[in-house]
Amino acid sequence: MRQIPVDTANATVMVAKAPQPKVKDRRTGEIALDKDGVTLMTVEVMFSTPEEVEILKLTVPQPGVSEALTMGTPVALTGLVASAWENEFNGQKRHGIAFRAVAVTSLAAGASQPKAA
């Protein structure tokens, strides 16, 4: 799947919903892991540019998530990429864009940095 880098230079980004473990299977509650066995987190952010504002749902490895990210916390996104996806479920095709970042770092004064890997 092709990954397209997302330019965040002219964007204001803040947490819209606190990080939560990404669920792989809603029926069993199984948590998603990356290829190295690291827990993946879901972080929703408000991504604002002079032209528009969107809520993006990001997938981020747990060590790349700053502690104490709460609604409204200004953040920096490291390594943000977008990937198109498509699947079929119960005979219906679905498609969208998935967003993934290496890290979500708080820009609030005195905030702790992402945990070391």
Side-chain angles (χ1 to χ4, degrees):
M1 180 174 358
R2 184 164 176 0
Q3 294 185 336
I4 303 164
V6 178
D7 182 12
T8 61
N10 294 320
T12 300
V13 185
M14 62 180 68
V15 175
K17 187 175 179 183
Q20 299 178 357
K22 182 174 181 160
V23 177
K24 179 179 181 177
D25 186 334
R26 291 183 194 158
R27 294 173 302 198
T28 65
E30 180 183 0
I31 301 301
L33 305 174
D34 70 8
K35 64 182 180 347
D36 298 320
V38 175
T39 299
L40 295 173
M41 303 295 286
T42 298
V43 183
E44 292 185 39
V45 298
M46 181 187 75
F47 191 91
S48 174
T49 65
E51 294 81 33
E52 63 185 312
V53 175
E54 291 188 57
I55 300 295
L56 303 181
K57 187 181 282 192
L58 312 176
T59 298
V60 185
Q62 188 172 29
V65 178
S66 284
E67 293 182 23
L69 291 182
T70 59
M71 188 185 309
T73 303
V75 293
L77 305 177
T78 303
L80 181 62
V81 294
S83 302
W85 61 268
E86 181 176 282
N87 65 23
E88 190 170 330
F89 184 74
N90 288 337
Q92 291 189 329
K93 285 194 174 194
R94 297 174 35 146
H95 57 88
I97 299 174
F99 293 92
R100 186 175 178 117
V102 172
V104 177
T105 308
S106 174
L107 297 176
S112 64
Q113 299 301 309
K115 302 167 201 142

